[in-house]
Amino acid sequence: MSKQSHRSTIAPFYVMDVWKAAAERARSHGDVLVLAAGQPSTQAPKPVIEATKRALDEQLLGYTETFGILPLREAIAAHHEKTYGYQVDPDDVVITTGSSGAFTLIFLAAFDPGDTVVVARPGYPAYRNTLAALGCDVVELDCGPETRFQPTVEMLEALPEPPAGLVVASPANPTGTMIDRDELAKLARWCEANGTLLISDEIYHGITYSDETPTASAWEFSRDGIVIGSVSKYFSMTGWRLGWMLAPAHLRPALQRLASNMTVCPPAVSQFAAIHAFGPEAKEELDGHVRRYARNRQLLLEGLPRLGITDLAPADGAFYAYADIAHLTDDARQWCADVLANTGVALAPGLDFDTVRGNHTVRFSFAGATDDIAEAIERLGEYLKS
């Protein structure tokens, strides 16, 4: 029998177990309300759907350039210029197979086994687990409410030496918190000055809830780092598996070599379709989704405290409410399983996101229908009373 590799022994993605259990509950009871999924509950914008049909009829849909077709790179470059006010050349844009593909590519291109890369805790587990699988030394910064669950320059300066890389996310998964514009500028400039590659996960941009905290992009402050984007979240296209990164010129040859060998190119049909995700008609539709998320967010932020769940991270953006439920359990995985079994409400335990405190935290996704959010709060309230 052949052996498994050491790198494959990384931690599982526990939320996938929740999805499996929720699917089984749906088959057996038909009453599941899924607040565990980190994805929109809506299909791609109509212009994208229509463009897909045209692409199927008119395009060869064979291999494309490794970094993606020029019209899509031009659309993404224009999107960044319009949204943030900085110029992007289409050659700066690297199209990838989802943002997951972008992270794997840049981790391979920029870091060697043994390099130290810093991430925030709590945070998206695939950063930590992918880096570990590639042999990097992952250092987690303990980020709590005092810094809005985000890393700071002071935390970096407290390290024994500057790390090879820093991964940040704003808005973040699971907390939904954002890095203050001035703090992001300080982080970007510190990384540039200390030879640390800043990787800024900006896939939830477009989903924010206050004009007082505008979303900033790392390339506004330094072009030495990497900006990661995706059509998955705001653009409601998770299954299309299309992401991108903005990459400085000195890293692009390495990215080209790796991507051409590992994936050849991103999915062709998704590329031709995604061009139309950046137009005004799609934006109107997508902003409508964000208005629904805002209503759902308000329901949770008002409803959960009434149930005694009061320790919540500031939900600045994305579509998550992240709660400490230490008063209810010290085994969030089992608690979520019990909630699903007794109420049909599927929630994500914090084990994925926090290797220290995840046993008593839980993530609520409010990307679904407003009526489902209201019903989930009601069911959870009845369960907590029992």
Side-chain angles (χ1 to χ4, degrees):
M1 181 183 294
S2 60
K3 71 178 184 69
Q4 66 175 356
S5 69
H6 176 71
R7 66 170 55 91
S8 70
T9 60
I10 57 175
F13 203 168
Y14 291 105
V15 75
M16 303 308 294
D17 294 336
V18 176
W19 289 5
K20 180 180 178 181
E24 292 172 354
R25 171 84 185 198
R27 287 191 292 270
S28 62
H29 290 71
D31 65 346
V32 170
L33 300 173
V34 180
L35 276 67
Q39 65 176 352
S41 58
T42 46
Q43 67 176 4
K46 289 179 182 177
V48 170
I49 299 294
E50 293 166 358
T52 304
K53 296 173 182 176
R54 291 195 300 273
L56 290 171
D57 289 336
E58 300 170 6
Q59 298 293 340
L60 174 63
L61 299 179
Y63 296 137
T64 72
E65 296 175 60
T66 295
F67 282 176
I69 60 175
L70 180 58
L72 179 57
R73 289 186 283 117
E74 289 174 333
I76 290 171
H79 165 73
H80 279 271
E81 183 170 357
K82 182 177 181 181
T83 304
Y84 309 106
Y86 58 74
Q87 278 197 315
V88 176
D89 190 283
D91 286 344
D92 297 328
V93 181
V94 176
I95 309 298
T96 58
T97 306
S99 61
S100 299
F103 282 110
T104 301
L105 273 179
I106 191 58
F107 292 166
L108 283 166
F111 307 133
D112 287 314
D115 280 351
T116 297
V117 183
V118 172
V119 300
R121 186 182 69 239
Y124 182 55
Y127 308 146
R128 176 183 73 243
N129 294 337
T130 304
L131 286 163
L134 296 177
C136 293
D137 180 13
V138 181
V139 172
E140 296 181 302
L141 298 178
D142 188 8
C143 299
E146 65 281 355
T147 63
R148 297 178 68 82
F149 299 90
Q150 293 285 359
T152 65
V153 166
E154 289 72 23
M155 293 178 186
L156 296 175
E157 290 179 338
L159 297 173
E161 59 183 10
L166 167 67
V167 182
V168 299
S170 177
N173 178 10
T175 60
T177 61
M178 292 167 59
I179 302 176
D180 175 82
R181 180 182 186 83
D182 290 341
E183 188 64 39
L184 182 58
K186 288 193 288 184
L187 286 168
R189 289 165 184 155
W190 188 93
C191 287
E192 184 174 341
N194 287 274
T196 297
L197 180 67
L198 175 63
I199 302 172
S200 180
D201 183 349
E202 301 180 3
I203 70 171
Y204 288 97
H205 279 209
I207 309 175
T208 58
Y209 305 105
S210 173
D211 293 335
E212 296 178 4
T213 54
T215 310
S217 174
W219 263 31
E220 295 180 56
F221 313 112
S222 171
R223 297 296 183 101
D224 276 11
I226 298 289
V227 167
I228 305 287
S230 171
V231 298
S232 289
K233 308 302 181 179
Y234 170 76
F235 296 97
S236 195
M237 295 172 64
T238 50
W240 300 67
R241 307 315 302 135
L242 202 71
W244 71 86
M245 73 176 93
L246 306 184
H250 74 277
L251 284 171
R252 293 202 289 268
L255 292 166
Q256 171 76 31
R257 291 191 296 271
L258 289 163
S260 61
N261 278 285
M262 295 175 66
T263 59
V264 181
C265 67
V269 68
S270 298
Q271 291 189 63
F272 284 103
I275 296 167
H276 301 271
F278 298 93
E281 184 181 349
K283 186 178 189 306
E284 183 178 354
E285 183 178 342
L286 296 169
D287 285 347
H289 300 333
V290 177
R291 289 190 290 271
R292 174 170 50 82
Y293 302 152
R295 293 192 295 270
N296 295 353
R297 170 183 178 270
Q298 199 62 31
L299 280 175
L300 274 179
L301 294 185
E302 293 174 355
L304 291 176
R306 290 199 298 268
L307 307 184
I309 300 174
T310 58
D311 194 349
L312 301 170
D316 302 324
F319 32 61
Y320 306 117
Y322 191 64
D324 191 314
I325 55 168
H327 63 296
L328 297 173
T329 186
D330 61 1
D331 186 349
R333 189 180 182 188
Q334 186 60 53
W335 187 84
C336 287
D338 292 343
V339 167
L340 178 60
N342 285 277
T343 71
V345 176
L347 305 172
L351 290 174
D352 278 326
F353 313 108
D354 193 325
T355 57
V356 175
R357 300 183 181 88
N359 278 324
H360 55 80
T361 59
V362 64
R363 188 192 72 179
F364 298 77
S365 171
F366 51 83
T370 300
D371 288 347
D372 287 352
I373 303 299
E375 174 67 18
I377 293 171
E378 185 174 336
R379 291 188 198 178
L380 189 57
E382 291 299 315
Y383 174 71
L384 293 176
K385 288 177 186 176
S386 61

